[in-house]
Amino acid sequence: MGGFLRSSLQQVFVFAALIAIYIFFMIFAPNFAQPNIALDIIQQSAYIGVMALGATFVIATGGIDLSSGTGMTLVAVMAGIFMAGDWLNLPTGLGIPLVIAFGAFMGLLNGLNISVLGLPPFIATLAMMMVARGLSLIISGASSITIANPQYKFIASGQIIPGVANAILIFAVLAVVAWVLLNKTLLGRYALAIGSNEEATRLSGVNVKLWKTLVYVTAGIFVAFGAILYSGRFGFVQPAEGVGFELNVIAAVVIGGTSLAGGRANIVGTVVGALIMETLKKGLQMMGIAQEWQLVVTGIVVLIAVFVDILRRKRATAV
């Protein structure tokens, strides 16, 4: 009961922070109060938010994934290889499953390196980050790939509901899927158990290596969806992009209340965390703040979120 109450209070606190930041920019940022800004923020945050949903499971185990940014770029490059007219030009119905499968394969490699080879998550995913970046440049010839497939672009930029981009709907649906996975399935239960006490979980008969690998496969699938939303929105892929995106992903998860120490995760908080990140970015841009100062503000917000997490863990331990 106490844990549920703390989780609820955390969600209220994070959501209140989002509202406060939004109101601040409505007052001080020119044109921020326009009705279309809110939808634009959600659409802009969709690809980072979707990847953050997957990263929530990884961080819940006490792990980390530094490969999500460049991994997203590599998956987007492969989407171009599968569906661009100058490459394989596969139909969308075949190309999309291949893209998702490729993301899952990347997650599988991360999971096997960590679970079977015993590499620290930081090192394993750092290596994958560099491999993904290199392969993106090699496969694409260091040139942008245009994906002119109208059906592919419609996935992210189309509007099944008039005035609402499909990327927003996909973000919402995947958030519900992630919530169910975390709270109603063995995947979520064991991810949290591993993060709380991996040795005790192993001694209780759980195949920790298997479930930890599945957690990284899940994260890879969400990275693939993020790649689809990102490349589908613009209709092209820049193979040199993606560096640094993983920091935004991790920041969204941490701001949302998932503990870096593992054992506690919050899907709703992750969604709000992604919105906070994009609201800060959008508001600071509209205030005319230089990009380097935007990074400073974002870094401070992340530090505050981590500090709050540390205080919360100390208080829980004391109790």
Side-chain angles (χ1 to χ4, degrees), residues 7-18:
S7 178
S8 299
L9 289 175
Q10 173 69 23
Q11 291 183 30
V12 171
F13 174 78
V14 174
F15 189 73
L18 173 62

Side-chain angles (χ1 to χ4, degrees), residues 106-266:
M106 288 182 57
L108 176 63
L109 291 179
N110 278 333
L112 292 176
N113 285 334
I114 293 164
S115 299
V116 178
L117 298 184
L119 298 178
F122 182 91
I123 299 300
T125 58
L126 177 64
M128 179 60 74
M129 178 183 75
M130 293 186 285
V131 168
R133 185 180 185 187
L135 287 178
S136 297
L137 295 169
I138 292 169
I139 294 172
S140 66
S143 300
S144 62
I145 299 177
T146 300
I147 309 177
N149 186 323
Q151 293 179 328
Y152 184 75
K153 295 177 67 175
F154 181 80
I155 294 173
S157 303
Q159 296 183 359
I160 295 177
I161 299 176
V164 180
N166 290 342
I168 297 175
L169 301 180
I170 293 172
F171 186 17
V173 169
L174 290 178
V176 173
V177 170
W179 186 91
V180 172
L181 286 175
L182 182 67
N183 295 283
K184 303 296 181 179
T185 69
L186 290 177
L187 179 70
R189 185 186 307 168
Y190 288 155
L192 294 171
I194 291 169
S196 296
N197 192 323
E198 182 171 336
E199 184 60 24
T201 304
R202 180 182 294 107
L203 292 175
S204 67
V206 175
N207 189 335
V208 170
K209 291 182 179 180
L210 171 63
W211 287 102
K212 192 181 286 189
T213 300
L214 290 177
V215 163
Y216 281 90
V217 170
T218 301
I221 292 172
F222 278 97
V223 166
F225 277 107
I228 292 169
L229 295 182
Y230 183 76
S231 58
R233 181 183 178 192
F234 299 105
F236 64 89
V237 181
Q238 292 283 4
E241 289 187 345
V243 178
F245 285 8
E246 66 281 346
L247 301 180
N248 291 332
V249 169
I250 295 170
V253 177
V254 174
I255 290 172
T258 295
S259 175
L260 283 170
R264 189 180 66 251
N266 191 326

Side-chain angles (χ1 to χ4, degrees), residues 70-87:
T70 55
M72 183 209 75
T73 302
L74 177 57
V75 174
V77 166
M78 294 309 299
I81 298 299
F82 294 143
M83 288 175 281
D86 296 335
W87 297 86

Side-chain angles (χ1 to χ4, degrees), residues 40-55:
D40 187 54
I41 287 173
I42 301 173
Q43 183 180 4
Q44 293 270 12
S45 64
Y47 70 96
I48 291 291
V50 166
M51 291 193 291
L53 293 173

Side-chain angles (χ1 to χ4, degrees), residues 94-112:
L94 178 58
I96 293 297
L98 287 175
V99 171
I100 295 172
F102 189 84
F105 176 69
M106 288 182 57
L108 176 63
L109 291 179
N110 278 333
L112 292 176

